[in-house]
């Protein structure tokens, strides 16, 4: 994890989690977690979610039908680690169902670029602070369990897009 102390990371994670939780306070459903099983970052996100007691859905087959079926339960938010093409297609399907984009973080060649709405700024900050541990930190954030601080390899961030949509 960059030069950030564990205490600094935990404090940032708690702030980010509180910011997201306040936006979801009224919703009684858990967020929908999605991942691309062919991406290393997607598999790490799914593994951490499972370790925390949740299930991330692997995107496969007909994305339109899959998403329409998943959105029937009206999840409070969508957290995903996918390729750009899935972020665009799945994001469009979710937007048609009333969701709006809150945060999009692009991971590529060891760098992160964030594009966030004002209520998603904490996501961008947490992505920056967590460095190579982002897939795990993102799963913790999605499940309001920030601060578990999973260990991650010292490798560079893997190519992927992580994104959040809310109702």
């Amino acid at each position: 994890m960059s030069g950030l102390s564990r205490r600094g990371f935990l404090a940032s994670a708690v702030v980010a989690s509180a910011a997201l939780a306040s936006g979801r306070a009224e919703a009684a459903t858990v967020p929908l977690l999605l991942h691309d099983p062919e991406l290393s970052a997607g598999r790490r996100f799914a593994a951490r979610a499972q370790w925390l007691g949740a299930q991330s859905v692997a995107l496969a087959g007909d994305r339109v039908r899959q998403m329409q079926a998943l959105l029937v339960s009206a999840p409070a938010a969508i957290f995903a680690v996918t390729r750009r093409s899935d972020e665009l297609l799945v994001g469009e399907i979710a937007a048609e169902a009333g969701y709006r984009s809150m945060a999009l973080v692009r991971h590529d060649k060891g760098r992160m670029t964030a594009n966030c709405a004002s209520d998603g700024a904490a996501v961008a900050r947490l992505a920056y602070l967590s460095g190579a541990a982002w897939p795990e930190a993102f799963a913790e954030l999605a499940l309001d369990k920030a601060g578990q601080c999973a260990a991650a390899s010292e490798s560079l961030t893997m190519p992927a897009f992580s994104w959040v949509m809310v109702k």
Side-chain angles (χ1 to χ4, degrees), residues 4-102:
L4 180 69
S5 71
R6 177 177 167 89
R7 181 173 294 169
F9 173 74
L10 290 175
S12 297
V14 169
V15 168
S17 181
L20 283 175
S22 67
R24 298 192 310 241
E26 302 83 29
T29 63
V30 295
L32 172 60
L33 308 179
L34 303 171
H35 73 280
D36 183 329
E38 294 186 22
L39 294 176
S40 176
R43 291 188 305 273
R44 285 177 51 194
F45 172 75
R48 186 64 178 167
Q50 184 174 24
W51 188 86
L52 293 168
Q55 188 67 35
S56 178
V57 177
L59 290 174
D62 185 340
R63 305 301 201 258
V64 175
R65 286 191 179 135
Q66 184 181 22
M67 282 308 299
Q68 288 171 337
L70 291 169
L71 293 175
V72 166
S73 66
I78 302 167
F79 286 76
V81 178
T82 66
R83 299 172 199 268
R84 177 67 170 158
S85 57
D86 281 327
E87 184 272 327
L88 290 170
L89 178 60
V90 171
E92 185 175 319
I93 296 164
E96 289 174 1
Y99 291 83
R100 66 175 176 79
S101 181
M102 186 173 126

Side-chain angles (χ1 to χ4, degrees), residues 115-132:
N115 181 7
C116 300
S118 60
D119 58 349
V123 174
R125 186 72 179 145
L126 182 60
Y128 172 74
L129 294 173
S130 62

